[in-house]
Amino acid sequence: MKDIKAADFGVGLGFAVIGAAVMYLAADLQSMPRGIGPGGYPRVVGIMMILLGLIQVGRVLSAGGLPSFAFTFNPRPVFQVGAALAGAFLYVYAVKYIGFVTLTPFLLYFLLMLFGYKKYLKAAIISISVSTVIYLVFARMFMIFLPEFTLF
Amino acid sequence: MLGNLLDGFAAVFQPLCFGLMVFGVAMGIVIGALPGMTGSMGIILLLPLIYHLPSDVALVMLCGVFCGSMYGGSVSAILLRTPGTPSATATVLDGYPLAQKGYAGKAIGVAAISSFAGGLFSTLCLILIAPELSKIALNFHAADYFSLSIFGLTIMASSTSKNMVKGLMAGVFGLLVSTVGIDPIIGNTRFTFGHAILMNGFPLLPVLIGVFAISEVLTDFLGTGEAGTISEQKITRLVPSWPEISSIFRAIAIGSVVGVTIGIIPGTGGAISCFLAYNLAQKFSKKPEEFGQGSLEGIAAPESSNNATTGGALIPMLTLGVPGDVITSVMLGALVLIGVKPGPMLFVENAGIVYAIFSGMIAIQFLMLIFGLLFAKVAPHVLKVPRKVMMPVILLLCIVGAFSLANQLYHVNIALAFGLVGLFMKKYGYPGAPLVLGIILGPIAEENLNRAILLSRNDWTVIFTRPISLFFLVCSAFSIGMAMYGSFKEYRKERSAGT
């Protein structure tokens, strides 16, 4: 609960600051003699952001003062989310060189292990078969280009 | 209209369309049955493929997933005591007790028949109401469209979150995201910070994949429990006897009417209508004492009601471009992705697509009945697939889906980044649907606000002086006021409980 209050306070404050930044940046955009121009709409959005951000901050403060920022840190899920995203980002940058068919089973195997699936042989079979099916459906049936292995 | 509907049927029964409609319904039922997987996630997983299909075929397939998932949720509610989708929550109350008594087959059969009846009724309402509503909406002025966009956003923000401010913040964040790129007024670049890749803004599909699907997968790491124990029994006697069917007529009628009515109201959905229908059916039942003990009426009312919301929710989405619930906001995104602009002009410019959807919805109900009963036989096996296998496969599909949009790794990065945003939002109670709706409605609101101001020679009061525009603004204020009043009441209750 404390975490949520602190997060709400931070988000509210950040929202108001971003809203102010949007208004500042929108002031540089070309204005028009008639109509709202390219900057008019972002200015409206900026005002709404500032208002909502301040309301959020006000709500948190009115419900019991400035929240303490003592986060309860559970490293396991943070590591898992981080590892899943890092694996996915790494895959995204490597797949154009190594190719979809070659690399995807490894990513899927890694994700299965990360999610706690401990049947290693079954996981390997699932990784290879699912990757093959996805390749056939996307690349062969719907003719969607998927990266292939290339030396150059 | 009949001629258009027949043309629609001719399109729907083309081999490709029919095949994909069958696929959509089957996939929807399976997705809906798996706890933690929702119809919107099923639709998102199919979005990368819709570019390669004719528009009508793609939309009919997505409608199949939509309707199928509504029914699918009941299967796990009956067998696992865990509703596959929020819309099937009320089905647990009588479905699971009936399954415990050894009548799981009968419970699933009643759910399938009720879903079919509710879905068919709502489709008929959709066919009769939507064209008339679109005729009215054709008279809308630019200012009215701007106010309608605001109304859509406020109603979605107030209904998808317990905290109205958080819902509005999510919606406004969506509006901000939509401002990045080339502005729709004079074509200047805006908020790109010199990065050419940002000139096209944030593409909708990767954002949808990130906010709704990747965030859902990542949430699993934060401790979503496994589903309950499956009811280990052979599924037999799926089709109820005639006296049993006739005993649920009243409940089906109540559920269908409630479902369509709730579905039409933007920002509501099956989760609300199922409980309302359940309560009303109990009130009007001859055997109200049986509710909660495995009553067939207790299954029929919520199931007919949640399926009846499908057609109801499509009415404001197709005619006004305002989605009825989360899943229709994803469907709205699908329409935009394939270049079909929802709203009253849809009935003029793309009548073929609209009537293919109408005819498809009728065919889908029959397919749902057949596949619903067939699926019951294999459901216990499907429900045993562990989430530890399902979630990594979904994450992989999300990555491939985002990449296949334009063969750009940039889109995968956007999907992953918005997955993280979605995870944060989910953890701290910020709803995802208003964010996506903000991205969809942002350009519409901007273009119409500019047009309205231009036409009125820089007179901003035009937004308040046009009757239709004023009506939508009053509705927006009303929805905000109601939500604020609700949270104030809750706040006072909490305070009085604390003292």
Side-chain angles (χ1 to χ4, degrees):
Chain A
M1 194 69 193
K2 265 182 182 173
D3 276 8
I4 292 177
K5 271 178 85 176
D8 284 350
F9 182 82
V11 170
L13 206 60
F15 216 64
V17 171
I18 294 172
V22 168
M23 289 202 60
Y24 175 76
L25 291 170
D28 283 346
L29 294 169
Q30 191 181 342
S31 59
M32 306 289 286
R34 268 173 66 177
I36 58 173
Y41 182 72
R43 268 198 291 275
V44 174
V45 173
I47 292 168
M48 287 198 275
M49 289 183 79
I50 294 170
L51 280 176
L52 286 169
L54 292 178
I55 291 172
Q56 176 84 325
V57 168
R59 277 172 70 107
V60 175
L61 292 178
S62 69
L66 200 67
S68 64
F69 287 85
F71 282 101
T72 45
F73 182 73
N74 185 357
R76 193 180 151 79
V78 175
F79 165 75
Q80 284 175 312
V81 171
L85 288 176
F89 277 118
L90 203 66
Y91 169 82
V92 164
Y93 286 102
V95 74
K96 54 187 168 188
Y97 305 108
I98 300 174
F100 180 87
V101 179
T102 330
L103 191 61
T104 308
F106 289 101
L107 173 72
L108 191 51
Y109 193 83
F110 168 70
L111 291 174
L112 283 164
M113 293 299 119
L114 199 63
F115 272 83
Y117 192 70
K118 295 291 177 217
K119 292 170 184 165
Y120 303 110
L121 187 66
K122 252 189 176 178
I125 295 167
I126 291 169
S127 305
I128 295 168
S129 51
V130 169
S131 305
T132 311
V133 169
I134 292 175
Y135 176 76
L136 291 175
V137 170
F138 276 78
R140 295 282 174 251
M141 196 190 286
F142 286 97
M143 307 304 272
I144 298 169
F145 169 79
L146 292 173
E148 287 182 4
F149 174 71
T150 169
L151 277 175
F152 304 101
Chain B
M1 182 191 274
L2 199 62
N4 283 332
L5 269 178
L6 289 174
D7 287 344
F9 276 116
V12 163
F13 285 103
Q14 292 291 318
L16 177 70
C17 191
F18 187 75
L20 287 172
M21 185 170 64
V22 168
F23 170 72
V25 172
M27 181 179 167
I29 293 174
V30 175
I31 293 259
L34 294 168
M37 304 266 293
T38 54
S40 46
M41 192 192 266
I43 289 176
I44 286 166
L45 292 178
L46 287 179
L47 287 183
L49 306 181
I50 65 174
Y51 291 104
H52 306 273
L53 297 170
S55 307
D56 53 347
V57 175
L59 290 170
V60 168
M61 178 177 73
L62 298 185
C63 285
V65 180
F66 182 21
C67 296
S69 68
M70 280 287 181
Y71 161 72
S74 69
V75 178
S76 51
I78 291 164
L79 294 178
L80 287 173
R81 208 188 174 191
T82 308
T85 55
S87 306
T89 315
T91 311
V92 174
L93 301 175
D94 282 283
Y96 190 69
L98 200 60
Q100 291 298 94
K101 288 177 188 170
Y103 298 112
K106 194 192 285 184
I108 294 175
V110 168
I113 291 167
S114 311
S115 298
F116 163 75
L120 200 61
F121 177 74
S122 77
T123 305
L124 294 177
C125 291
L126 170 70
I127 294 169
L128 294 173
I129 298 171
E132 299 307 314
L133 193 60
S134 75
K135 281 178 197 161
I136 298 168
L138 273 173
N139 298 319
F140 283 12
H141 181 265
D144 307 332
Y145 274 116
F146 171 73
S147 300
L148 180 62
S149 305
I150 299 296
F151 170 63
L153 209 58
T154 51
I155 202 95
M156 185 59 85
S158 59
S159 63
T160 49
S161 171
K162 280 182 186 170
N163 185 331
M164 173 80 190
V165 178
K166 286 187 178 182
L168 282 175
M169 283 170 85
V172 173
F173 181 57
L175 294 180
L176 176 70
V177 170
S178 77
T179 60
V180 176
I182 295 173
D183 84 82
I185 295 167
I186 56 169
N188 269 358
T189 53
R190 202 165 53 181
F191 306 145
T192 58
F193 306 103
H195 295 284
I197 204 150
L198 284 175
M199 276 167 66
N200 288 330
F202 290 102
L204 185 60
L205 179 58
V207 175
L208 275 173
I209 290 176
V211 172
F212 285 115
I214 294 181
S215 69
E216 194 68 49
V217 175
L218 296 179
T219 309
D220 245 43
F221 288 129
L222 304 181
T224 312
E226 288 278 325
T229 325
I230 192 156
S231 173
E232 291 284 356
Q233 60 175 282
K234 216 173 172 195
I235 308 292
T236 51
R237 249 198 96 217
L238 283 163
V239 182
S241 63
W242 177 248
E244 283 168 340
I245 293 176
S246 59
S247 74
I248 57 173
F249 275 161
R250 191 199 309 257
I252 288 177
I254 291 170
S256 302
V257 174
V258 168
V260 172
T261 315
I262 293 288
I264 291 174
I265 302 168
T268 54
I272 298 168
S273 76
C274 68
F275 278 107
L276 200 58
Y278 185 87
N279 285 336
L280 279 175
Q282 188 176 21
K283 215 166 262 179
F284 288 102
S285 171
K286 285 177 184 166
K287 297 170 184 169
E289 70 283 356
E290 285 184 7
F291 276 67
Q293 315 289 324
S295 160
L296 291 181
E297 288 179 281
I299 300 170
E303 276 309 303
S304 54
S305 145
N306 63 29
N307 271 274
T309 55
T310 55
L314 286 175
I315 295 172
M317 189 201 90
L318 292 174
T319 55
L320 304 174
V322 175
D325 53 14
V326 175
I327 196 163
T328 38
S329 67
V330 176
M331 293 269 286
L332 185 69
L335 276 173
V336 175
L337 283 171
I338 54 176
V340 177
K341 203 174 174 186
M345 288 308 286
L346 180 67
F347 287 76
V348 181
E349 291 167 354
N350 293 296
I353 291 177
V354 173
Y355 282 94
I357 293 175
F358 288 172
S359 309
M361 284 287 285
I362 294 175
I364 283 165
Q365 308 310 325
F366 286 92
L367 285 173
M368 197 175 65
L369 180 65
I370 297 164
F371 281 93
L373 294 174
L374 289 176
F375 177 70
K377 293 275 182 191
V378 292
H381 306 288
V382 175
L383 293 176
K384 278 180 186 162
V385 176
R387 285 176 75 87
K388 287 172 186 169
V389 173
M390 200 61 80
M391 288 302 166
V393 173
I394 289 170
L395 186 56
L396 178 64
L397 280 172
C398 291
I399 294 170
V400 177
F403 174 78
S404 65
L405 173 64
N407 296 336
Q408 281 186 9
L409 298 173
Y410 165 67
H411 289 154
V412 185
N413 290 337
I414 289 182
L416 291 172
F418 272 91
L420 214 52
V421 171
L423 176 69
F424 178 86
M425 291 174 71
K426 219 175 161 107
K427 183 164 165 46
Y428 293 108
Y430 294 84
L435 164 65
V436 170
L437 197 60
I439 297 174
I440 296 170
L441 293 180
I444 299 171
E446 181 171 8
E447 277 174 47
N448 284 297
L449 178 64
N450 184 53
R451 200 171 298 144
I453 301 296
L454 271 176
L455 291 171
S456 65
R457 297 169 190 270
N458 282 357
D459 179 13
W460 284 73
T461 57
V462 67
I463 300 162
F464 305 99
T465 50
R466 290 259 325 160
I468 298 172
S469 174
L470 185 65
F471 169 75
F472 286 127
L473 289 177
V474 169
C475 289
S476 305
F478 183 71
S479 74
I480 292 174
M482 286 298 286
M484 292 279 189
Y485 177 67
S487 33
F488 177 69
K489 254 174 62 178
E490 214 160 90
Y491 171 71
R492 275 186 59 174
K493 218 163 133 186
E494 271 173 28
R495 273 192 73 159
S496 61
T499 52

